[in-house]
Amino acid sequence: MLHSFDGVSALDNKAASGFDLEPPDEGLAAGNGYVVNFVNVTGQIHSTSGSLLVKPFFLNTFFQESPTANTSDPRVFYDAASGRWIATILEYAFDSTTGLLSESHVDVATSRSSDPRGQFRIFRVDTTNPDHAGCPCLADYPILGVDKDNVYVSTNEFDKTLSHFNGAQLYAISKSELAFGASAPHVVGYQNLSVAGVSGYHVQPANSYGPAGVEYLMSSLDPNGTFDNRLAVWALTDTGAVTRGGTPTLSVRVISSEAYAAPPNAQTPVGLCTGNLCGSAGTPTTGVVASDFDAMQEIQYINGNLVGALDTAVTVPGDSGSRAGIAWFVVHPQVTGSSLSSQTRVTRQGYVAQSGEYLLYPHINMTQNGAMAMTFGFGGPATYLSAGYATAPSGKPFGAIRTAAAGVAPDNGFTATATFGGVGRWGDYSNGQIIPGTNSVWLATQYIPNTGDGNANWGNRIFELDLSQ
Protein backbone atom coordinates (compact mmCIF):
# COMPACT_ATOMS: atom_id res chain seq x y z
CA MET A 1 0.00 0.00 0.00
CA LEU A 2 1.63 3.25 -1.16
CA HIS A 3 -0.62 5.71 0.66
CA SER A 4 -3.55 5.43 3.06
CA PHE A 5 -5.55 8.16 4.79
CA ASP A 6 -9.08 9.08 5.83
CA GLY A 7 -11.50 10.91 3.55
CA VAL A 8 -14.84 12.55 4.30
CA SER A 9 -16.54 11.35 7.51
CA ALA A 10 -19.94 11.87 9.12
CA LEU A 11 -18.31 14.50 11.36
CA ASP A 12 -16.93 16.33 8.30
CA ASN A 13 -20.32 16.16 6.62
CA LYS A 14 -22.10 17.63 9.66
CA ALA A 15 -19.57 20.45 9.90
CA ALA A 16 -19.83 21.32 6.18
CA SER A 17 -23.59 20.92 5.63
CA GLY A 18 -25.07 21.44 9.10
CA PHE A 19 -27.00 18.15 9.17
CA ASP A 20 -26.51 14.40 9.52
CA LEU A 21 -27.24 11.94 6.75
CA GLU A 22 -26.79 8.35 5.68
CA PRO A 23 -25.66 6.54 3.55
CA PRO A 24 -22.10 7.72 2.76
CA ASP A 25 -22.12 7.30 -1.03
CA GLU A 26 -18.50 7.35 -2.18
CA GLY A 27 -17.08 9.47 -4.99
CA LEU A 28 -13.34 9.39 -5.64
CA ALA A 29 -11.03 10.74 -8.33
CA ALA A 30 -7.24 10.85 -8.52
CA GLY A 31 -4.70 12.33 -10.90
CA ASN A 32 -2.25 15.17 -11.53
CA GLY A 33 -1.07 14.99 -7.90
CA TYR A 34 -4.53 15.36 -6.34
CA VAL A 35 -7.15 13.13 -4.74
CA VAL A 36 -10.75 14.43 -4.71
CA ASN A 37 -13.31 12.84 -2.40
CA PHE A 38 -17.05 13.59 -2.75
CA VAL A 39 -19.29 11.80 -0.23
CA ASN A 40 -23.02 12.55 -0.35
CA VAL A 41 -23.08 16.33 0.21
CA THR A 42 -19.50 16.99 1.29
CA GLY A 43 -16.22 17.19 -0.62
CA GLN A 44 -12.57 17.63 0.23
CA ILE A 45 -9.28 17.65 -1.68
CA HIS A 46 -5.99 15.98 -0.72
CA SER A 47 -2.58 15.76 -2.24
CA THR A 48 -1.55 12.24 -3.20
CA SER A 49 0.59 12.13 -0.06
CA GLY A 50 -2.56 12.59 2.02
CA SER A 51 -2.11 16.25 2.97
CA LEU A 52 -5.46 18.03 3.23
CA LEU A 53 -5.41 20.83 0.64
CA VAL A 54 -9.05 21.93 0.79
CA LYS A 55 -11.01 21.34 3.98
CA PRO A 56 -14.51 19.78 3.80
CA PHE A 57 -16.95 21.89 1.77
CA PHE A 58 -20.70 21.70 1.09
CA LEU A 59 -21.41 20.19 -2.33
CA ASN A 60 -24.60 22.23 -2.73
CA THR A 61 -22.39 25.31 -2.84
CA PHE A 62 -19.89 23.64 -5.17
CA PHE A 63 -22.66 22.70 -7.64
CA GLN A 64 -24.28 26.15 -7.29
CA GLU A 65 -27.44 24.76 -5.73
CA SER A 66 -29.52 26.30 -2.94
CA PRO A 67 -28.37 25.33 0.57
CA THR A 68 -31.81 23.78 1.09
CA ALA A 69 -31.87 21.81 -2.20
CA ASN A 70 -32.11 18.02 -2.02
CA THR A 71 -28.90 16.56 -3.45
CA SER A 72 -27.57 13.03 -3.55
CA ASP A 73 -25.30 10.42 -5.19
CA PRO A 74 -22.16 12.38 -6.14
CA ARG A 75 -19.54 11.04 -8.55
CA VAL A 76 -16.18 12.50 -9.57
CA PHE A 77 -13.55 11.48 -12.14
CA TYR A 78 -10.23 12.88 -13.40
CA ASP A 79 -10.06 12.71 -17.18
CA ALA A 80 -6.35 12.60 -17.95
CA ALA A 81 -6.97 12.92 -21.70
CA SER A 82 -8.50 16.39 -21.36
CA GLY A 83 -6.89 17.35 -18.04
CA ARG A 84 -10.31 18.04 -16.55
CA TRP A 85 -12.07 16.99 -13.36
CA ILE A 86 -15.68 15.97 -13.98
CA ALA A 87 -18.28 15.58 -11.24
CA THR A 88 -22.01 14.89 -11.06
CA ILE A 89 -24.75 15.06 -8.45
CA LEU A 90 -28.54 14.61 -8.41
CA GLU A 91 -30.87 17.45 -7.40
CA TYR A 92 -34.61 16.97 -6.84
CA ALA A 93 -37.60 18.79 -5.35
CA PHE A 94 -41.10 18.03 -4.07
CA ASP A 95 -44.36 19.97 -4.46
CA SER A 96 -45.11 21.61 -1.11
CA THR A 97 -48.86 21.04 -1.50
CA THR A 98 -49.07 17.47 -2.81
CA GLY A 99 -45.80 16.11 -1.47
CA LEU A 100 -45.13 14.56 -4.89
CA LEU A 101 -41.91 14.97 -6.82
CA SER A 102 -41.94 18.14 -8.93
CA GLU A 103 -38.58 18.16 -10.75
CA SER A 104 -35.11 16.65 -10.94
CA HIS A 105 -31.87 17.36 -12.72
CA VAL A 106 -28.27 16.18 -12.76
CA ASP A 107 -25.52 18.73 -12.35
CA VAL A 108 -22.37 18.10 -14.40
CA ALA A 109 -19.37 20.10 -13.15
CA THR A 110 -16.24 20.42 -15.32
CA SER A 111 -13.04 22.04 -14.08
CA ARG A 112 -11.49 24.87 -16.09
CA SER A 113 -8.00 23.46 -15.53
CA SER A 114 -6.24 20.35 -14.25
CA ASP A 115 -6.22 21.79 -10.71
CA PRO A 116 -9.40 20.73 -8.84
CA ARG A 117 -9.00 23.69 -6.48
CA GLY A 118 -9.84 26.07 -9.30
CA GLN A 119 -13.13 27.05 -10.89
CA PHE A 120 -15.72 24.67 -12.35
CA ARG A 121 -18.44 25.24 -14.91
CA ILE A 122 -21.86 23.74 -14.14
CA PHE A 123 -24.11 22.25 -16.81
CA ARG A 124 -27.55 20.94 -15.82
CA VAL A 125 -29.25 17.99 -17.49
CA ASP A 126 -33.02 18.23 -17.02
CA THR A 127 -34.20 14.76 -16.00
CA THR A 128 -37.79 15.68 -15.04
CA ASN A 129 -39.08 14.16 -18.32
CA PRO A 130 -42.71 15.34 -18.04
CA ASP A 131 -43.64 13.33 -21.16
CA HIS A 132 -42.72 10.00 -19.49
CA ALA A 133 -45.23 7.85 -17.62
CA GLY A 134 -46.13 9.29 -14.23
CA CYS A 135 -43.68 12.16 -14.49
CA PRO A 136 -42.31 14.67 -13.40
CA CYS A 137 -39.71 12.06 -12.47
CA LEU A 138 -36.74 11.37 -10.24
CA ALA A 139 -33.40 10.55 -11.89
CA ASP A 140 -32.26 8.30 -9.07
CA TYR A 141 -28.68 7.07 -8.66
CA PRO A 142 -26.92 8.93 -11.52
CA ILE A 143 -23.85 7.02 -12.73
CA LEU A 144 -20.89 8.73 -14.41
CA GLY A 145 -18.86 7.36 -17.30
CA VAL A 146 -16.21 9.06 -19.45
CA ASP A 147 -14.49 8.18 -22.73
CA LYS A 148 -12.46 10.13 -25.27
CA ASP A 149 -15.52 11.72 -26.87
CA ASN A 150 -18.23 12.15 -24.25
CA VAL A 151 -19.36 12.27 -20.66
CA TYR A 152 -22.15 9.77 -19.93
CA VAL A 153 -24.76 9.90 -17.20
CA SER A 154 -27.07 6.94 -16.61
CA THR A 155 -30.03 7.26 -14.23
CA ASN A 156 -32.81 5.08 -12.81
CA GLU A 157 -36.09 6.89 -13.38
CA PHE A 158 -38.95 6.75 -10.86
CA ASP A 159 -42.31 8.50 -11.24
CA LYS A 160 -43.51 11.37 -9.06
CA THR A 161 -44.85 8.99 -6.40
CA LEU A 162 -41.45 7.22 -6.30
CA SER A 163 -43.30 3.90 -6.59
CA HIS A 164 -43.15 3.14 -10.33
CA PHE A 165 -39.91 2.47 -12.22
CA ASN A 166 -39.67 3.64 -15.83
CA GLY A 167 -36.29 2.11 -16.58
CA ALA A 168 -32.78 3.43 -17.05
CA GLN A 169 -32.15 6.66 -18.94
CA LEU A 170 -28.84 7.49 -20.62
CA TYR A 171 -27.44 10.91 -21.52
CA ALA A 172 -24.33 11.39 -23.71
CA ILE A 173 -22.77 14.89 -23.47
CA SER A 174 -19.97 16.21 -25.65
CA LYS A 175 -16.81 16.17 -23.52
CA SER A 176 -14.88 18.68 -25.62
CA GLU A 177 -17.75 21.17 -25.41
CA LEU A 178 -17.93 20.72 -21.63
CA ALA A 179 -14.15 21.16 -21.35
CA PHE A 180 -14.14 24.36 -23.39
CA GLY A 181 -17.12 25.87 -21.63
CA ALA A 182 -19.90 25.68 -24.23
CA SER A 183 -23.07 27.11 -22.68
CA ALA A 184 -25.22 24.52 -24.45
CA PRO A 185 -23.14 21.41 -25.22
CA HIS A 186 -24.70 18.79 -27.43
CA VAL A 187 -26.64 16.12 -25.47
CA VAL A 188 -28.17 12.90 -26.79
CA GLY A 189 -30.72 11.08 -24.62
CA TYR A 190 -31.71 7.39 -24.72
CA GLN A 191 -34.99 6.80 -22.94
CA ASN A 192 -36.54 3.93 -20.96
CA LEU A 193 -33.83 1.39 -21.74
CA SER A 194 -34.91 -2.23 -21.72
CA VAL A 195 -33.26 -5.60 -22.30
CA ALA A 196 -34.54 -9.20 -22.40
CA GLY A 197 -38.09 -7.97 -21.89
CA VAL A 198 -37.42 -6.02 -18.68
CA SER A 199 -36.41 -2.47 -17.85
CA GLY A 200 -32.71 -1.75 -17.71
CA TYR A 201 -31.48 -1.06 -14.18
CA HIS A 202 -28.17 0.34 -12.98
CA VAL A 203 -26.86 0.48 -16.55
CA GLN A 204 -23.23 1.37 -15.87
CA PRO A 205 -21.35 3.40 -18.51
CA ALA A 206 -17.63 2.57 -18.52
CA ASN A 207 -14.80 4.82 -17.57
CA SER A 208 -12.97 4.04 -20.76
CA TYR A 209 -9.25 3.81 -21.45
CA GLY A 210 -9.67 2.55 -25.00
CA PRO A 211 -9.74 4.08 -28.47
CA ALA A 212 -12.45 6.57 -29.37
CA GLY A 213 -15.55 5.52 -31.26
CA VAL A 214 -17.30 3.01 -28.99
CA GLU A 215 -18.55 3.41 -25.42
CA TYR A 216 -19.51 0.24 -23.55
CA LEU A 217 -21.97 -0.18 -20.71
CA MET A 218 -22.91 -3.17 -18.60
CA SER A 219 -25.73 -4.20 -16.26
CA SER A 220 -26.86 -7.27 -14.41
CA LEU A 221 -30.14 -9.09 -15.04
CA ASP A 222 -32.20 -10.24 -12.07
CA PRO A 223 -35.74 -8.98 -12.71
CA ASN A 224 -37.29 -10.90 -9.80
CA GLY A 225 -34.63 -10.04 -7.23
CA THR A 226 -33.73 -13.70 -6.76
CA PHE A 227 -30.84 -14.97 -8.89
CA ASP A 228 -29.58 -14.96 -12.48
CA ASN A 229 -26.66 -16.01 -14.65
CA ARG A 230 -26.77 -13.38 -17.38
CA LEU A 231 -25.27 -9.96 -18.01
CA ALA A 232 -26.38 -7.24 -20.41
CA VAL A 233 -23.61 -5.59 -22.44
CA TRP A 234 -24.43 -2.35 -24.24
CA ALA A 235 -22.50 -0.42 -26.89
CA LEU A 236 -22.74 3.10 -28.29
CA THR A 237 -21.02 3.30 -31.67
CA ASP A 238 -19.84 6.45 -33.48
CA THR A 239 -19.57 8.32 -30.19
CA GLY A 240 -18.04 11.34 -31.93
CA ALA A 241 -21.45 11.98 -33.49
CA VAL A 242 -22.64 13.75 -30.32
CA THR A 243 -20.32 16.73 -30.83
CA ARG A 244 -21.33 16.87 -34.51
CA GLY A 245 -25.01 17.07 -33.58
CA GLY A 246 -25.70 13.44 -34.50
CA THR A 247 -26.83 10.38 -32.57
CA PRO A 248 -24.63 7.35 -31.81
CA THR A 249 -26.23 3.93 -32.28
CA LEU A 250 -27.09 2.00 -29.10
CA SER A 251 -27.17 -1.81 -29.14
CA VAL A 252 -27.40 -4.43 -26.40
CA ARG A 253 -26.60 -8.14 -26.11
CA VAL A 254 -27.30 -10.63 -23.30
CA ILE A 255 -24.44 -12.99 -22.45
CA SER A 256 -24.08 -15.92 -20.05
CA SER A 257 -22.14 -15.55 -16.81
CA GLU A 258 -21.56 -17.22 -13.49
CA ALA A 259 -24.59 -17.23 -11.20
CA TYR A 260 -25.29 -14.40 -8.78
CA ALA A 261 -28.16 -13.73 -6.37
CA ALA A 262 -29.66 -11.01 -4.20
CA PRO A 263 -27.39 -10.77 -1.15
CA PRO A 264 -28.58 -10.95 2.47
CA ASN A 265 -28.21 -7.95 4.75
CA ALA A 266 -25.13 -7.95 6.96
CA GLN A 267 -25.30 -8.59 10.70
CA THR A 268 -22.70 -6.56 12.58
CA PRO A 269 -22.36 -5.65 16.29
CA VAL A 270 -25.27 -3.65 17.73
CA GLY A 271 -24.69 -0.02 18.65
CA LEU A 272 -26.40 2.96 20.23
CA CYS A 273 -27.66 6.12 18.51
CA THR A 274 -27.47 8.95 21.06
CA GLY A 275 -28.03 12.02 18.88
CA ASN A 276 -31.02 14.32 18.58
CA LEU A 277 -32.59 12.04 15.95
CA CYS A 278 -32.77 9.19 18.45
CA GLY A 279 -34.37 10.62 21.59
CA SER A 280 -32.92 11.88 24.83
CA ALA A 281 -32.27 8.40 26.20
CA GLY A 282 -30.71 7.10 22.99
CA THR A 283 -31.95 4.25 20.83
CA PRO A 284 -30.18 0.92 20.19
CA THR A 285 -29.18 0.11 16.65
CA THR A 286 -29.75 -3.36 15.25
CA GLY A 287 -26.33 -3.84 13.70
CA VAL A 288 -28.12 -4.93 10.53
CA VAL A 289 -26.68 -3.18 7.48
CA ALA A 290 -28.20 -3.11 3.99
CA SER A 291 -26.33 -4.86 1.20
CA ASP A 292 -29.14 -3.71 -1.11
CA PHE A 293 -29.03 -5.61 -4.40
CA ASP A 294 -27.10 -7.63 -6.97
CA ALA A 295 -26.94 -4.73 -9.43
CA MET A 296 -23.72 -4.06 -11.34
CA GLN A 297 -21.40 -1.50 -9.76
CA GLU A 298 -19.16 0.98 -11.61
CA ILE A 299 -17.29 -0.54 -14.57
CA GLN A 300 -14.12 0.15 -16.53
CA TYR A 301 -12.98 -0.50 -20.11
CA ILE A 302 -9.27 -1.18 -20.49
CA ASN A 303 -7.03 -3.53 -22.49
CA GLY A 304 -10.03 -4.34 -24.70
CA ASN A 305 -12.04 -5.65 -21.72
CA LEU A 306 -14.88 -4.54 -19.50
CA VAL A 307 -14.27 -5.10 -15.79
CA GLY A 308 -17.12 -5.10 -13.26
CA ALA A 309 -18.35 -6.53 -9.97
CA LEU A 310 -21.52 -6.82 -7.92
CA ASP A 311 -22.75 -7.99 -4.53
CA THR A 312 -24.13 -11.52 -4.43
CA ALA A 313 -25.32 -14.13 -1.98
CA VAL A 314 -22.62 -16.73 -1.38
CA THR A 315 -22.32 -19.87 0.69
CA VAL A 316 -18.82 -20.43 2.03
CA PRO A 317 -18.12 -24.11 2.79
CA GLY A 318 -18.36 -24.71 6.52
CA ASP A 319 -19.96 -21.33 7.22
CA SER A 320 -23.14 -21.02 9.30
CA GLY A 321 -25.28 -19.47 6.54
CA SER A 322 -25.50 -17.40 3.41
CA ARG A 323 -23.35 -14.26 3.30
CA ALA A 324 -22.95 -11.23 1.07
CA GLY A 325 -19.96 -11.75 -1.20
CA ILE A 326 -18.74 -10.45 -4.53
CA ALA A 327 -19.05 -11.75 -8.09
CA TRP A 328 -16.57 -10.24 -10.54
CA PHE A 329 -16.39 -10.36 -14.33
CA VAL A 330 -14.01 -9.62 -17.18
CA VAL A 331 -15.97 -9.30 -20.43
CA HIS A 332 -14.49 -9.02 -23.92
CA PRO A 333 -16.96 -7.02 -26.06
CA GLN A 334 -16.91 -7.12 -29.85
CA VAL A 335 -18.71 -4.83 -32.25
CA THR A 336 -19.51 -5.65 -35.87
CA GLY A 337 -20.69 -2.60 -37.78
CA SER A 338 -22.83 -0.69 -35.29
CA SER A 339 -23.92 -3.62 -33.10
CA LEU A 340 -22.46 -5.93 -30.49
CA SER A 341 -21.61 -9.28 -32.04
CA SER A 342 -22.08 -12.84 -30.81
CA GLN A 343 -18.35 -12.91 -29.96
CA THR A 344 -19.04 -10.75 -26.91
CA ARG A 345 -18.44 -13.00 -23.91
CA VAL A 346 -17.18 -13.38 -20.36
CA THR A 347 -13.50 -14.34 -20.46
CA ARG A 348 -12.81 -14.48 -16.71
CA GLN A 349 -14.99 -14.45 -13.61
CA GLY A 350 -15.04 -15.55 -10.01
CA TYR A 351 -16.14 -14.87 -6.46
CA VAL A 352 -14.61 -13.17 -3.44
CA ALA A 353 -15.99 -14.19 -0.06
CA GLN A 354 -14.92 -14.86 3.50
CA SER A 355 -16.33 -17.13 6.18
CA GLY A 356 -18.19 -15.26 8.89
CA GLU A 357 -18.07 -11.90 7.08
CA TYR A 358 -20.32 -9.89 4.76
CA LEU A 359 -18.68 -8.03 1.86
CA LEU A 360 -20.46 -4.86 0.76
CA TYR A 361 -20.46 -2.55 -2.28
CA PRO A 362 -17.47 -3.63 -4.36
CA HIS A 363 -15.51 -1.48 -6.74
CA ILE A 364 -13.01 -3.05 -9.16
CA ASN A 365 -10.22 -1.64 -11.34
CA MET A 366 -7.76 -3.16 -13.80
CA THR A 367 -4.40 -1.51 -14.48
CA GLN A 368 -2.40 -1.37 -17.71
CA ASN A 369 -0.61 -4.66 -16.97
CA GLY A 370 -3.86 -6.60 -16.47
CA ALA A 371 -3.66 -6.81 -12.68
CA MET A 372 -6.82 -6.02 -10.74
CA ALA A 373 -7.72 -4.51 -7.38
CA MET A 374 -11.08 -4.53 -5.65
CA THR A 375 -12.26 -2.60 -2.61
CA PHE A 376 -15.35 -3.13 -0.45
CA GLY A 377 -16.70 -2.66 3.04
CA PHE A 378 -16.92 -5.71 5.27
CA GLY A 379 -18.26 -6.69 8.68
CA GLY A 380 -19.78 -9.56 10.60
CA PRO A 381 -21.37 -10.47 13.94
CA ALA A 382 -17.99 -9.98 15.64
CA THR A 383 -16.45 -7.49 13.19
CA TYR A 384 -17.04 -3.75 13.15
CA LEU A 385 -17.63 -2.38 9.66
CA SER A 386 -14.19 -2.08 8.04
CA ALA A 387 -12.55 -1.14 4.73
CA GLY A 388 -11.17 -4.10 2.79
CA TYR A 389 -9.51 -4.96 -0.48
CA ALA A 390 -8.15 -7.83 -2.53
CA THR A 391 -5.80 -7.98 -5.52
CA ALA A 392 -5.35 -10.29 -8.50
CA PRO A 393 -2.13 -10.53 -10.56
CA SER A 394 -2.62 -10.46 -14.33
CA GLY A 395 -4.52 -13.55 -15.46
CA LYS A 396 -4.88 -14.96 -11.95
CA PRO A 397 -7.68 -15.10 -9.35
CA PHE A 398 -8.06 -12.74 -6.40
CA GLY A 399 -6.02 -13.47 -3.31
CA ALA A 400 -6.87 -13.15 0.35
CA ILE A 401 -9.01 -10.35 1.74
CA ARG A 402 -6.94 -7.65 3.39
CA THR A 403 -7.87 -4.82 5.72
CA ALA A 404 -7.26 -1.25 4.55
CA ALA A 405 -8.71 0.23 7.76
CA ALA A 406 -10.33 -1.65 10.65
CA GLY A 407 -13.57 -0.40 12.15
CA VAL A 408 -13.30 0.66 15.79
CA ALA A 409 -16.97 0.91 16.89
CA PRO A 410 -20.43 -0.47 16.06
CA ASP A 411 -22.76 1.26 13.62
CA ASN A 412 -24.43 4.02 15.67
CA GLY A 413 -26.24 5.54 12.70
CA PHE A 414 -29.87 6.64 12.97
CA THR A 415 -31.00 4.55 9.97
CA ALA A 416 -30.17 1.37 11.91
CA THR A 417 -32.70 2.18 14.66
CA ALA A 418 -36.23 0.74 14.73
CA THR A 419 -37.71 4.22 14.21
CA PHE A 420 -36.03 4.44 10.79
CA GLY A 421 -36.60 0.80 9.79
CA GLY A 422 -33.81 -0.97 11.65
CA VAL A 423 -31.58 -1.57 8.61
CA GLY A 424 -28.57 0.71 8.44
CA ARG A 425 -27.75 2.43 5.16
CA TRP A 426 -24.15 1.69 4.33
CA GLY A 427 -23.01 3.50 1.25
CA ASP A 428 -24.53 2.64 -2.09
CA TYR A 429 -21.18 2.30 -3.80
CA SER A 430 -17.43 2.36 -3.27
CA ASN A 431 -15.12 3.96 -5.82
CA GLY A 432 -11.68 4.12 -7.38
CA GLN A 433 -9.58 5.23 -10.34
CA ILE A 434 -6.38 4.13 -12.03
CA ILE A 435 -3.57 6.48 -12.98
CA PRO A 436 -3.22 5.97 -16.77
CA GLY A 437 0.20 4.85 -17.95
CA THR A 438 1.03 3.35 -14.56
CA ASN A 439 0.01 0.32 -12.53
CA SER A 440 -1.26 2.47 -9.67
CA VAL A 441 -4.87 2.45 -8.50
CA TRP A 442 -6.61 4.66 -5.94
CA LEU A 443 -9.54 3.15 -4.02
CA ALA A 444 -12.00 4.31 -1.37
CA THR A 445 -14.69 2.60 0.67
CA GLN A 446 -16.60 3.08 3.91
CA TYR A 447 -15.67 2.02 7.43
CA ILE A 448 -16.31 3.16 11.03
CA PRO A 449 -13.36 5.20 12.33
CA ASN A 450 -14.93 6.60 15.52
CA THR A 451 -18.15 6.92 17.54
CA GLY A 452 -19.33 9.91 15.50
CA ASP A 453 -21.64 12.70 16.63
CA GLY A 454 -24.44 10.51 18.00
CA ASN A 455 -26.53 10.34 14.82
CA ALA A 456 -23.93 8.85 12.44
CA ASN A 457 -20.39 7.53 12.64
CA TRP A 458 -19.44 6.50 9.12
CA GLY A 459 -16.12 7.38 7.59
CA ASN A 460 -14.17 6.26 4.57
CA ARG A 461 -10.64 5.16 3.80
CA ILE A 462 -8.70 6.29 0.74
CA PHE A 463 -5.65 4.30 -0.30
CA GLU A 464 -3.30 3.71 -3.22
CA LEU A 465 -1.99 0.33 -4.39
CA ASP A 466 0.88 -0.46 -6.73
CA LEU A 467 -0.06 -3.48 -8.89
CA SER A 468 3.23 -3.67 -10.76
CA GLN A 469 3.94 -7.17 -9.42
Side-chain angles (χ1 to χ4, degrees):
M1 190 177 295
L2 299 178
H3 297 97
S4 182
F5 50 88
D6 278 341
V8 172
S9 70
L11 295 174
D12 295 325
N13 178 82
K14 180 65 176 290
S17 69
F19 55 87
D20 293 289
L21 55 72
E22 293 186 314
D25 297 338
E26 183 77 60
L28 182 80
N32 197 38
Y34 302 97
V35 179
V36 179
N37 189 213
F38 283 7
V39 183
N40 266 356
V41 296
T42 301
Q44 63 186 29
I45 301 174
H46 292 263
S47 71
T48 50
S49 66
S51 298
L52 184 62
L53 301 178
V54 180
K55 67 181 182 179
F57 54 90
F58 191 21
L59 288 182
N60 281 34
T61 303
F62 173 84
F63 283 102
Q64 302 174 19
E65 295 286 359
S66 161
T68 60
N70 299 303
T71 56
S72 181
D73 301 324
R75 309 267 181 170
V76 60
F77 183 80
Y78 179 64
D79 180 51
S82 65
R84 296 292 187 267
W85 300 82
I86 300 165
T88 58
I89 202 167
L90 166 67
E91 186 279 345
Y92 56 98
F94 295 95
D95 185 280
S96 59
T97 302
T98 65
L100 300 176
L101 189 112
S102 59
E103 69 87 26
S104 73
H105 61 261
V106 174
D107 293 330
V108 181
T110 308
S111 67
R112 298 190 180 197
S113 74
S114 58
D115 188 338
R117 298 170 297 178
Q119 292 185 324
F120 282 70
R121 299 182 181 92
I122 309 299
F123 174 67
R124 293 195 165 98
V125 180
D126 185 357
T127 54
T128 305
N129 290 330
D131 57 331
H132 290 190
C135 291
C137 279
L138 175 71
D140 192 35
Y141 201 88
I143 306 162
L144 174 65
V146 180
D147 70 4
K148 289 187 176 180
D149 290 319
N150 303 310
V151 171
Y152 304 91
V153 178
S154 168
T155 68
N156 295 309
E157 185 175 277
F158 289 87
D159 73 354
K160 61 187 174 184
T161 69
L162 307 185
S163 61
H164 178 75
F165 179 54
N166 283 343
Q169 317 294 314
L170 175 64
Y171 304 89
I173 312 162
S174 167
K175 187 177 75 175
S176 62
E177 292 178 336
L178 287 172
F180 289 105
S183 59
H186 286 95
V187 181
V188 175
Y190 300 84
Q191 302 181 355
N192 302 332
L193 303 185
S194 63
V195 57
V198 298
S199 296
Y201 184 62
H202 278 241
V203 178
Q204 298 273 349
N207 288 316
S208 181
Y209 300 92
V214 181
E215 166 69 4
Y216 294 105
L217 309 91
M218 196 156 62
S219 57
S220 59
L221 275 167
D222 183 7
N224 299 315
T226 51
F227 69 93
D228 215 308
N229 61 350
R230 301 170 297 163
L231 300 175
V233 181
W234 312 70
L236 276 174
T237 55
D238 190 18
T239 52
V242 175
T243 302
R244 302 192 305 268
T247 301
T249 300
L250 178 65
S251 65
V252 62
R253 179 171 289 273
V254 176
I255 62 174
S256 298
S257 72
E258 65 190 5
Y260 54 89
N265 289 331
Q267 180 63 63
T268 67
V270 299
L272 183 67
C273 178
T274 60
N276 65 313
L277 297 177
C278 296
S280 58
T283 304
T285 62
T286 63
V288 177
V289 175
S291 58
D292 276 358
F293 35 54
D294 53 359
M296 186 67 66
Q297 297 289 338
E298 188 173 272
I299 68 167
Q300 176 190 14
Y301 179 70
I302 190 170
N303 300 334
N305 293 307
L306 289 167
V307 185
L310 52 79
D311 257 322
T312 182
V314 293
T315 301
V316 179
D319 206 346
S320 59
S322 177
R323 306 284 182 186
I326 297 165
W328 59 271
F329 312 90
V330 177
V331 174
H332 183 66
Q334 293 234 2
V335 167
T336 300
S338 58
S339 299
L340 283 156
S341 79
S342 59
Q343 298 302 307
T344 299
R345 67 193 187 281
V346 173
T347 58
R348 295 175 60 203
Q349 57 191 347
Y351 301 98
V352 176
Q354 183 158 306
S355 178
E357 307 289 359
Y358 299 84
L359 278 52
L360 307 169
Y361 303 104
H363 174 89
I364 189 170
N365 280 105
M366 178 182 283
T367 55
Q368 306 276 165
N369 66 355
M372 292 185 290
M374 180 192 302
T375 191
F376 43 83
F378 73 93
T383 305
Y384 298 136
L385 287 161
S386 300
Y389 71 98
T391 61
S394 181
K396 296 182 179 179
F398 279 90
I401 290 171
R402 301 177 186 179
T403 300
V408 301
D411 177 16
N412 297 329
F414 67 93
T415 59
T417 65
T419 301
F420 290 89
V423 179
R425 294 295 308 279
W426 191 243
D428 277 335
Y429 44 92
S430 302
N431 224 302
Q433 180 169 0
I434 68 166
I435 305 300
T438 76
N439 292 307
S440 170
V441 59
W442 284 89
L443 299 165
T445 195
Q446 299 86 11
Y447 83 115
I448 296 185
N450 51 49
T451 57
D453 68 352
N455 290 320
N457 65 330
W458 52 263
N460 71 90
R461 194 68 170 181
I462 300 168
F463 54 103
E464 182 188 16
L465 301 177
D466 180 1
L467 301 185
S468 296
Q469 314 216 346

